[in-house]
Amino acid sequence: MLDADTKRRIDSCRDILVGKVPDPKSQVEQITIALIYKFMDDMDAEAEELGGTRTFFAGEYARYGWAKLMAPSLGGFEVLGLYSEAIQKMNENPGVPELFRDIFKNAYLPYRDPETLKSFLKEINYFSYDHSERLGDAFEYLLSVLGSQGDAGQFRTPRHIIDFMVEVLDPKKNETILDPACGTAGFLISAWKHILKSNTDKTTGDKLTPDERSRLAGNIKGYDISPDMVRLSLVNLYLHGFSDPHIVEYDTLTSDEKWNEVADVILANPPFMSPKGGIKPHKRFSVQATRSEVLFVDYMAEHLTATGRAAIVVPEGIIFQSGAAYKTLREMLVRTSLVAVVSLPAGVFNPYSGVKTSVLILDKRLHKQLDSVLFIKVGNDGFNLGAQRRAVVNSDLPEATRLLRAWMTSPQDFEGDGAISQAVTRAKIGEGSDFNLSGDRYGFDVLGDSAYPQVSLGNEDIFKIESGGTPSSTEETYWNGGIPWATLADLPASDHITKITSTVRTITDLGLRNSSAKMLPVNTILVSSRATIGRVALAKIPLATNQGFKNIIIRDPQKASPQFVAYMMKRLTPEMERMASGGTFKEISKSAISTLTIPLPPLEVQHEVVAEIERHQQSVNEHRAQIDRIEDEIKAAIDRVWGIAG
């Protein structure tokens, strides 16, 4: 458990650095390097106390010892020069083991202010290396500040999601464990702690022999393309008791040097982002692709042992995208190793991303015993979906864990209640040839059972989803032009489906070009996606919208009627409200909208449904008008009574 004093000192280090080192990742790197520097001196001092000799700061490197650095007689610029020189030379120090040399590789001081450095080192001086789990907890807290997306599309996985995935896979002491995109090694440390807990009698891990503990540490491995992430992983593992952590800088997708290495357990949240032009992988992948998320999942599926299992966080594109590589990947997974799909709420990665994700569970041994895939829908992960992610009650994760463990240990006795789980045969998943892995398609859709196939709004052959935009309000030349620009004011709450023929506000061509607003064709479906969620309109003129809408364009009019889709979107309002996240204004993201599914009968049936709905709607309107007239007559009668009484 992280103590308050340690947390306060880490916060103080960041506060001192923030004026000179504003980037959180760089702050973490500077604190990491300084802590390891101080800890090496602590270990030298401990060696001397036990009758040994200094090894880290010995010979020509003795001049860099911590006591020399903190000497009161040293001036600010002298400290600056000594510390800067030391951290750059430390990776050449023969007395430093390879682990620490890797940590200091390419290290440098990114500022030249002696007062900042002296204040910073004074805070670092309060830390000491004591071989306890406390330092690991402190470093985990330090890493938690990495709350922004990395250059390669990395996202820090929330601790409770990591622990959930580890609990489901239940790694054992004799198994090899791999994360091929390990970031700060969160999955590996969670797996380590899980195994220690599973082998505890009185004190943590006391049922493991020294040989078993050493073998376990050697079986836990990670790769990352970023040298900064490798450095942070090495420190994190070291502070959690790994004297020789096995983390290497390695490009999993373009290098095949480690292609023949396999693992019993793989846990990962690989990068979702691909560079412009895509990835250019080596030729050993079975799925031909240029998207990083496709290649990473393929890599992990192919690098399990014959009885291996994996839990992988994936973006929704993996679940339903219609591209050839996505379909090929899903088919390969369904046919070889996929045993479960867990849908997570769209706000799990808030505050730095509202991206909708799922977890794929692979198990090669279990796959041979099953003919079905278990779909789990987690609506509540124990935290609200706003920017602050505050804890809430009634998390679905404990029940999801129970269901998945039952499915993976005794599938023949599995009994799901259907509230958040449904088993679907592999044959049914393969019926549509796209091997769609959206649970909504098979049993979670709010529209209930339908005689017609469920089609995802993310199906790019049929639909295209566009967001709106707002020109700068201070630029007069952007406004009052010839382009209709829809806002919520154009969708009255009293309308079931608004048919827009004009808008309250307009923008100019210049305003359109200088904003994220886009021209939308006639029959685009406008769906209010911010604050007042679920108002729906049909554009009967070409128009643009503000960013409070997600706009659905029908790409294939032979497959979908705009009027029919509009009515289906209105029916999905409760689901959209549940998926919305945010602070002051709740909002549903484009990626979340794309996960929704609607029944799509033949076009002639859609037209019949629309005609029937509109007949009923006309009847409703007529009765509403009659009710309004009656209410007016009642009011007039009451007014007359008051007039007589007055």
Side-chain angles (χ1 to χ4, degrees), residues 205-338:
D206 59 0
K207 293 169 71 174
L208 293 173
T209 67
D211 280 348
E212 286 175 331
R213 187 179 284 257
S214 175
R215 212 164 28 246
L216 171 60
N219 282 342
I220 295 177
K221 299 177 181 179
Y223 316 145
D224 203 281
I225 192 173
S226 165
D228 297 333
M229 290 296 108
V230 170
R231 179 186 296 158
L232 295 176
S233 290
L234 290 170
V235 175
N236 205 6
L237 286 164
Y238 182 81
L239 294 179
H240 280 87
F242 289 68
S243 59
D244 182 26
H246 297 279
I247 307 293
V248 296
E249 184 181 338
Y250 180 68
D251 187 341
T252 306
L253 304 185
T254 63
S255 173
D256 65 354
E257 176 188 338
K258 297 182 179 297
W259 185 262
N260 294 327
E261 296 183 10
V262 294
D264 298 307
V265 174
I266 295 180
L267 291 146
N269 174 14
F272 299 167
M273 186 182 293
S274 299
K276 188 175 181 179
I279 303 287
K280 295 180 180 176
H282 55 73
K283 303 298 184 184
R284 302 180 73 173
F285 288 91
S286 64
V287 178
Q288 301 305 305
T290 59
R291 300 290 302 176
S292 63
E293 65 267 31
V294 175
L295 292 166
F296 266 115
V297 175
D298 181 17
Y299 183 93
M300 287 179 261
E302 294 196 55
H303 285 77
L304 289 172
T305 60
T307 57
R309 57 202 184 281
I312 313 162
V313 178
V314 297
E316 289 300 274
I318 292 290
I319 300 300
F320 59 74
Q321 277 281 12
S322 59
Y326 292 97
K327 291 180 181 178
T328 301
L329 175 69
R330 290 194 295 267
E331 180 176 3
M332 181 269 284
L333 294 174
V334 170
R335 296 193 187 285
T336 63
S337 56
L338 184 70

Side-chain angles (χ1 to χ4, degrees), residues 89-120:
K89 284 190 170 184
M90 206 56 64
N91 74 313
E92 303 170 4
N93 184 346
V96 171
E98 185 178 359
L99 165 63
F100 292 155
R101 288 202 299 273
D102 286 341
I103 291 167
F104 282 98
K105 192 179 294 181
N106 301 317
Y108 73 99
L109 193 65
Y111 58 91
R112 307 300 297 173
D113 178 19
E115 291 307 313
T116 297
L117 180 63
K118 288 194 78 171
S119 298
F120 174 63

Side-chain angles (χ1 to χ4, degrees), residues 259-431:
W259 185 262
N260 294 327
E261 296 183 10
V262 294
D264 298 307
V265 174
I266 295 180
L267 291 146
N269 174 14
F272 299 167
M273 186 182 293
S274 299
K276 188 175 181 179
I279 303 287
K280 295 180 180 176
H282 55 73
K283 303 298 184 184
R284 302 180 73 173
F285 288 91
S286 64
V287 178
Q288 301 305 305
T290 59
R291 300 290 302 176
S292 63
E293 65 267 31
V294 175
L295 292 166
F296 266 115
V297 175
D298 181 17
Y299 183 93
M300 287 179 261
E302 294 196 55
H303 285 77
L304 289 172
T305 60
T307 57
R309 57 202 184 281
I312 313 162
V313 178
V314 297
E316 289 300 274
I318 292 290
I319 300 300
F320 59 74
Q321 277 281 12
S322 59
Y326 292 97
K327 291 180 181 178
T328 301
L329 175 69
R330 290 194 295 267
E331 180 176 3
M332 181 269 284
L333 294 174
V334 170
R335 296 193 187 285
T336 63
S337 56
L338 184 70
V339 297
V341 180
V342 182
S343 173
L344 298 176
V348 163
F349 284 98
N350 276 338
Y352 46 90
S353 174
V355 65
K356 175 74 175 70
T357 57
S358 292
V359 177
L360 302 182
I361 307 295
L362 315 183
D363 189 325
K364 287 194 169 182
R365 176 197 60 81
L366 180 61
H367 186 272
K368 295 173 184 175
Q369 305 172 26
L370 296 171
D371 66 354
S372 298
V373 173
L374 183 68
F375 287 89
I376 301 276
K377 187 165 188 174
V378 174
N380 176 357
D381 70 324
F383 296 84
N384 70 23
L385 301 178
Q388 300 304 315
R389 295 288 278 143
R390 292 187 176 89
V392 295
V393 297
N394 299 324
S395 170
D396 292 329
L397 289 181
E399 177 63 3
T401 303
R402 185 191 70 78
L403 289 167
L404 286 161
R405 291 302 306 141
W407 180 250
M408 297 178 73
T409 55
S410 303
Q412 68 279 1
D413 301 322
F414 178 80
E415 292 183 5
D417 60 9
I420 66 168
S421 69
Q422 175 152 338
V424 180
T425 65
R426 294 200 290 263
K428 185 173 182 180
I429 294 172
E431 279 177 0

